[in-house]
Amino acid sequence: MTSVGMCFPRTFPAALVTDVARRLETGGADELWIIEDCFYTAGPSLSAAALSVSERLTVGLGILPAVARTAAVTAMEIATLCALGPGRFLPGIGHGVQAWMGQMGVRPKSPLTALEEVTVAVGRLLAGEAVTMDGRTVHLDDVKLDAPPADVPPILLGVQGPKSLALAGRVAGGVVLAEPASPSYVRAAVQHAGAPEGFVVAAFSAICVRGDRKAAYEWSAPWLAGLIEQKNPALPALPFYDDLLRRYAESGVPGLVSMPTDWWQELGPIGTLDDAATHLDALEAAGVHHVGLFPDPEVEHGLPQLEHVLALANR
């Protein structure tokens, strides 16, 4: 059965994380997903805070950029968080936005090679091995964690492209798929990964639940327009992608507002609470194990969605 929780956007004040974690746990949600983006709040710190005020809640971290920390430090962070919440932490690692990596002076010549080396090194360190590696990005000389986790979590790769998804299938335990993770996109991503046995799929879905569909569509249509303009890599998997582009080219944002209900249900938990439930059921049927419902990044609009997250988690 799919576990349902909420994402903690990068724009939410750090001090809010403990309240959100408590409300999710008390209200019966399964998970809290922490978002780390440069140069906002730090994922491991927020994850530690959330784990420390909860007893049952799973905390996922999406994602740690592979080269922002050394592989050894990333493994130390993950092991420490596993100790704070045994069996309740899910780590995500990804390429990170390459422009941000450039700003910090750590942009690798080959992001794919860097991610593979880091994933392999972190996995071996978490398994308790003494690791020596002299790669293009990772350089370790007999490094061994003093306290590797007793229950090693799967490393999930936050990736999008076919080559990166294939890499996840080879060296990682699963993936974290960014919003809009439609059921169609999930199936395509798992296929690119080679659908290995035991592969864990976490998906982020932008939630916008309102009393009536039109209000939700009017709020979400500009967001969808931005994804179209940015050529978001998840959109081409949609079965109505060509029609979506045509509609937007001809009618702009108003044309998106008037899209068929089933299109919106494919895109995300957008519309009524029943529409959101239909989307979650479709994600479960597509093989998703963990869903992070992603609220509006502005606290005044996003935080009220927590009540809808709880309603969906307790269906």
Side-chain angles (χ1 to χ4, degrees), residues 55-71:
E55 297 180 355
R56 180 189 54 80
L57 199 70
T58 292
V59 176
L61 178 48
I63 58 155
L64 295 170
V67 295
R69 303 165 179 84
T70 66

Side-chain angles (χ1 to χ4, degrees), residues 2-306:
T2 302
S3 298
V4 177
M6 178 174 161
C7 294
F8 190 83
R10 65 188 188 182
T11 47
F12 276 24
L16 190 60
V17 74
T18 51
D19 180 60
V20 169
R22 289 189 183 101
R23 289 176 64 185
L24 288 171
E25 174 155 278
T26 302
D30 303 308
E31 302 178 345
L32 172 63
W33 282 87
I34 302 298
I35 307 302
E36 176 172 285
D37 276 334
C38 303
F39 301 95
Y40 294 84
T41 48
S45 305
L46 293 177
S47 299
L51 288 166
S52 69
V53 298
S54 59
E55 297 180 355
R56 180 189 54 80
L57 199 70
T58 292
V59 176
L61 178 48
I63 58 155
L64 295 170
V67 295
R69 303 165 179 84
T70 66
V73 171
T74 295
M76 289 166 59
E77 297 275 24
I78 294 172
T80 301
L81 291 166
C82 288
L84 289 174
R88 296 194 294 122
F89 180 65
L90 288 173
I93 301 176
H95 296 297
V97 176
Q98 292 305 293
W100 293 339
M101 300 304 106
Q103 284 181 271
M104 295 189 290
V106 295
R107 183 169 184 166
K109 290 183 179 180
S110 172
L112 200 65
T113 299
L115 182 58
E116 180 169 5
E117 289 182 1
V118 169
T119 303
V120 170
V122 170
R124 291 178 62 192
L125 289 167
L126 292 176
E129 295 183 34
V131 180
T132 296
M133 182 182 295
D134 188 21
R136 294 175 62 181
T137 299
V138 176
H139 305 277
L140 297 171
D141 182 10
D142 195 29
V143 174
K144 187 176 188 295
L145 293 182
D146 180 70
D151 184 9
V152 180
I155 297 175
L156 310 181
L157 296 193
V159 291
Q160 295 179 318
K163 291 182 179 180
S164 297
L165 288 165
L167 171 66
R170 292 197 308 273
V171 303
V175 287
V176 179
L177 302 176
E179 70 289 351
S182 67
S184 299
Y185 177 54
V186 169
R187 286 190 287 269
V190 172
Q191 185 175 22
H192 282 305
E197 186 176 353
F199 199 63
V200 177
V201 179
F204 294 165
S205 289
I207 183 172
C208 181
V209 171
R210 296 288 189 272
D212 67 272
R213 285 170 172 162
K214 186 177 181 184
Y217 299 166
E218 287 175 342
W219 189 269
S220 302
W223 162 78
L224 177 55
L227 296 179
I228 294 171
E229 295 287 350
Q230 296 160 14
K231 296 181 172 56
N232 184 282
L235 295 182
L238 296 169
F240 48 84
Y241 179 62
D242 291 338
D243 291 334
L244 174 67
L245 295 185
R246 189 177 307 111
R247 176 182 284 263
Y248 179 61
E250 293 174 353
S251 305
V253 171
L256 301 180
V257 173
S258 61
M259 291 192 319
T261 296
D262 61 327
W263 289 19
W264 281 109
Q265 289 174 340
E266 174 75 11
L267 277 162
I270 299 168
T272 65
L273 198 61
D274 285 343
D275 292 330
T278 297
H279 175 77
L280 291 182
D281 289 343
L283 286 180
E284 183 169 6
V288 173
H289 303 95
H290 305 273
V291 177
L293 298 172
F294 210 119
D296 190 280
E298 297 296 328
V299 174
E300 62 182 304
H301 302 299
L303 194 55
Q305 294 292 311
L306 191 150

